[in-house]
Amino acid sequence: MEALRREDPRRFGRFAVLARFQEAASAVQYVARDTGTGELAVITVARPALAAVPAFRRRFQAEARTAERLAGGWVTPPLETGEDALLHTATEYVPALPLAEAIGIAGPLPERSVRILGAGIAEILSRVHAGGPVLQGLAPGTVLLAEDGPRLTAFGPLGAAAAAEARPGGQLSVRLGYLTPEQVEGKEVGTASDLFVLGLLLAYAATGTTPFTEGPPDEAARRIAEADPELDAVPEELRDLIADCLAKDPAERPTAGTVAAELALEGAAGLARGGWLPERLAAAVADQEARVRALEVPEEAEAAGPAGKREDARPTGEPEDAVPTDVVPGAAAEAAEDAPAEAPSGLPVTQAPSDPRDTAATTSETPDTSTNASTGTGNIGEDRGTTRFLNTGPKPPRSDRATTHLALPHELPPGRSPAPALPTGSTPAAPGLPSPAHHHTHGSPAPYPAAALPGSTGQGNGGGRGGGPMVTLPLPPSPTPPEGSATSRRTLIAIAAAAVGGLVVGGGSVAAIGGGETVAATDDKPATPKPRRTLPGQPPEPRWSYSHPASESAPLTTALWRDRLLVVTSESQASAVDVRTGKRVWQRADAAKGQAAVVAGDLCFVASPTEFLWLAPKDGTVVHRVRYADGFTDLPDLQVGRLAGHSGAVIWFTGSRTVTVKAPKPKKGKKKAADKRVVQAYLFAYDIVRRTEVWRTPVPAGRAPGTPLYRVVAERSADLLVRQDAVTLTAADVKAAKGKGSIRSFDQQTGKLRWTKQYGTAGPEAAVTGDEDGILYAGAGAHLQSFEADTGKPLWRVEGTEGSAFGTPLAAGPVLHTTERSRQVGAVERESGRVVWRRSTEVPGIGSAPVLTLSSSGKTLLASDATQVTAFSAADGERLWKFQDIGAADPKGATVSAPYRTLAVGAHIVVQRDRAFYAFPVA
């Protein structure tokens, strides 16, 4: 952190700039204070030379939107994004140290700290990957260590860049800090690439070094692609997991959710309670916070204009230390004055960044001319007389080799020729100048030396061969050119692995954007952007969200009333939320502990533990009530169980009471036996519009306290097919069933028991459903079978995943949607059992089978479990999007582990997780 320089901005809207916080390759960060509230913020300002490149601006804005989407928990919520004179974002200030700086201060982290660090970052990655895209934002400088847990500050390659350069002709070169095996081989990066980098970061945090450093520098790429990582110094408890993350084959790497669970099953926030940082780091974080909070607004800030500049600032609008287009941004300020001559190839010789914490910098063929920095010692000097407020000790030395490029070639002005390509294998250098020595200490990740990598066969605009493989990277939609404007050529975005000398590779290794997306550049002014659209895999913006008050007990049941109200019951009351606005409209204590609401004509019916209630939908007023003691006078002390189902105006439920049966008169000379307490149980049909009992029929009592819990699995014109929950079966029932489950048929008109049947090997806990045609679909071991309900005849069988089991399927027209504990979701033909499609929700491990919900239109299938909601196209199984919330708004708060639930309402799906509700538009 440094005092402001003369050319630095002084204001950004309501924020007054206090000091320079830190520099990155693509941006400079400032500490600022809200002049209205006094709250501190960090302003990240894009370097002007880079912000002038349209591709950079689009990418910067896309990463800002990603930060907004992930806000909460370990991602600090953005306060604003500015796109006027200076491209910038503002976030709340959180006292924290970059991982690289923390390692420089205290060395490797303890195992518990590494677990919390990894779990927190994996939780973020899990949310990112749920939307589909790869993050590419992990680096020792973008992962922060705060008092209560880790934070991530970069949400794409720009934020995590080790170096970035605006090149002649509107090109942009962004250098990432790490290389993955798939990049070495020229393959496309994916979500597994983030897990490889996470493994590198965890190894670095645990040991102070990265696991591919040993060996000749020119074989670094081969080691990454082929060699086993050196993990002997990693704590044994973490070694296997990190080794899995560093697997060469992306398919063999664990998912982010698996990593998070293995590192901290209770969640990073839960494991971090009571403190997680070593004493020296905790003291450094506290010291930083004290110094930042003591900063005062410079007097000259009062004279700053609305653009944020001092009135005597240079008219170019670019700071004195800004990097020109022919020098890598982030280089030492002195490099601007002493820049070397261009190499013979026409490409400038890149400079090493001044920030010694960069995980990968460029190769410099010119020795460091700075008199303020000590080369190779890890120390950094003061920058041209400015004051460094926090000097926490020796800093890691800078890396001197390149790893990965993000090449963003842009449109050239008319008549301008592209810069000549760097010949494969050539290294531009200033004649007569030695290369800098190679240094490494525990204070920074081992730099990956430049290596000649296999060339790509793809042809770029120049047609020349590239020096390294290219991997596609998604870019947000570009503005549509105005009618009549000419597009000179497509702008492509790709990643190139490091070439010799660390320069932009030749034009022959450029690949188009993944997913068929192309970015077009116009000749002159950019067109007005189209309205923002949902990116592939990203859930749509919720129409509204509702949070059940923390002062009230958690929801017990949730149901929709006429697609108008979301009725939520809890231990203390029932309340209603308007599904059009997400606003709560009423609450009623009478309906405390009530069951799911049901439509009863124009009223809302709720069954409480002691009475039936009919509520006015407008304000929740109790219009009618029937206490069980009054409505069932011949059954005193009736205990009503859970609703078994409902259809139209009729509900079905079970109830029981305990009666005393007197012992028979003993025979002469015999002692009288004791009276018996016997449970009498019934299945009821009740009309909730006429408020009258339709029928009741006696049924076997369940396990104590005696009320069996039934579920209607199919309703036919003549009968109901009912299944008893296994948890309410008595020991005698279980023994008599011999490991099989039973279905009972009750007459619709009288309630009389018609028959009881068992089906194949379907057990008492197997998921079962049926349809109106009298076909049952039941889980049988790891398979799904269909049966004729009346005869028990098996019809077809669908093979399941070994070691898994099917959950409750969902019938929809001619298909049956299936769900498995292995997190496979699919569709089969109801008539033949032929598999139409089968997809994975990509949730790791074996757990409860996702619960299925079909949108009102029948076009979207939602699969909900304890980890996420996954949306599929019901017709072909195309994975549309995934949704996860953070689980806890406050990292210090309790971690939410409740499963997700979904309810279809009109053109929306309401997603619930514990107290949080979201309304998403769906097809």
Side-chain angles (χ1 to χ4, degrees), residues 441-523:
T441 70
H442 78 270
S444 70
Y448 294 141
L453 303 180
S456 170
T457 58
Q459 296 297 314
N461 295 324
R465 289 188 62 208
M470 308 296 291
V471 185
T472 61
L473 179 75
L475 191 70
S478 65
T480 302
E483 186 175 355
S485 67
T487 301
S488 62
R489 67 182 178 90
R490 292 179 175 179
T491 301
L492 304 177
I493 180 168
I495 294 181
V500 175
L503 299 181
V504 177
V505 297
S509 299
V510 179
I513 298 170
E517 186 157 321
T518 303
V519 180
T522 58
D523 289 327

Side-chain angles (χ1 to χ4, degrees), residues 100 103-104 107-108 204 207-210 213 356 376-379 394-399 438-447:
I103 297 296
Y204 169 54
T207 66
T209 186
T210 51
T213 59
T377 65
N379 297 324
K395 300 294 187 292
R398 62 169 169 256
S399 302
H438 183 80
H439 300 282
H440 178 252
T441 70
H442 78 270
S444 70

Side-chain angles (χ1 to χ4, degrees), residues 5-18:
R5 301 177 185 177
R6 178 175 174 272
E7 302 79 11
D8 283 329
R10 268 24 183 200
R11 292 190 70 88
F12 290 91
R14 68 182 191 271
F15 297 103
V17 180
L18 306 178

Side-chain angles (χ1 to χ4, degrees), residues 46-325:
R47 296 187 181 275
L50 300 176
V53 180
F56 177 93
R57 296 183 70 90
R58 289 195 296 271
R59 187 76 208 181
F60 187 94
Q61 292 158 0
E63 294 183 15
R65 289 195 296 270
T66 300
E68 292 175 2
R69 180 168 61 86
L70 298 174
W74 309 123
V75 176
T76 305
L79 300 176
E80 71 172 32
T81 300
E83 302 178 5
D84 299 329
L86 292 175
L87 187 63
H88 71 277
T89 62
T91 60
E92 177 187 356
Y93 165 71
V94 175
L97 299 175
L99 175 60
E101 185 174 332
I103 297 296
I105 294 172
L109 299 180
E111 179 201 339
R112 177 171 173 269
S113 299
V114 175
R115 285 185 175 276
I116 295 168
L117 171 68
I121 300 305
E123 288 169 8
I124 299 174
L125 289 179
S126 180
R127 297 171 56 209
V128 174
H129 296 170
V134 58
L135 179 66
Q136 291 189 298
L138 300 184
T142 66
V143 174
L144 306 185
L145 279 58
E147 178 186 16
D148 57 353
R151 296 291 191 281
L152 183 62
T153 61
F155 305 95
L158 291 189
E165 180 181 8
R167 301 195 50 75
Q171 289 187 335
L172 178 68
S173 174
V174 176
R175 197 179 305 254
L176 301 180
Y178 286 104
L179 195 64
T180 65
E182 49 268 33
Q183 288 173 298
V184 173
E185 296 174 359
K187 297 179 181 179
E188 184 176 354
V189 296
T191 55
S193 302
D194 284 334
L195 273 299
F196 187 90
V197 180
L198 178 60
L200 293 174
L201 283 178
L202 294 180
Y204 169 54
T207 66
T209 186
T210 51
F212 295 103
T213 59
E214 300 299 328
D218 58 355
E219 295 183 6
R222 182 195 61 78
R223 292 197 299 274
I224 294 169
E226 301 175 7
D228 293 332
E230 296 289 339
L231 299 176
D232 292 344
V234 174
E236 184 177 356
E237 295 80 0
L238 301 173
R239 198 174 300 155
D240 288 345
L241 180 61
I242 293 177
D244 290 343
C245 290
L246 298 176
K248 305 304 180 187
D249 184 355
E252 295 181 359
R253 296 171 200 158
T255 64
T258 298
V259 173
E262 291 198 21
L263 290 173
L265 188 60
E266 66 272 50
L271 188 58
R273 287 195 182 95
W276 74 292
L277 293 177
E279 186 176 348
R280 291 183 63 186
L281 295 184
V285 171
D287 181 53
Q288 180 197 92
E289 180 179 16
R291 294 176 182 273
V292 168
R293 295 196 181 282
L295 293 173
E296 296 182 359
V297 178
E299 294 182 3
E300 59 266 29
E302 302 299 330
K309 292 283 186 182
R310 286 169 48 95
E311 294 181 2
D312 59 348
R314 290 195 298 177
T316 61
E318 190 167 316
E320 182 182 353
D321 63 326
V323 180
T325 59

Side-chain angles (χ1 to χ4, degrees), residues 859-880:
K859 295 180 179 180
T860 304
L861 181 70
L862 287 301
S864 310
D865 55 31
T867 303
Q868 66 190 30
V869 175
T870 311
F872 298 90
S873 168
D876 57 13
E878 178 187 0
R879 193 178 295 108
L880 303 177

Side-chain angles (χ1 to χ4, degrees), residues 370-432:
S370 171
T371 60
N372 295 330
S374 176
T375 303
T377 65
N379 297 324
I380 56 175
E382 300 302 325
D383 190 356
R384 300 214 250 182
T386 58
T387 301
R388 190 173 300 276
F389 292 104
L390 177 61
N391 190 357
T392 54
K395 300 294 187 292
R398 62 169 169 256
S399 302
D400 62 354
R401 296 285 184 175
T403 57
T404 305
H405 287 183
L406 171 65
L408 298 175
H410 194 58
E411 173 190 17
L412 298 177
R416 182 84 173 266
S417 300
L422 179 68
T424 303
S426 66
T427 305

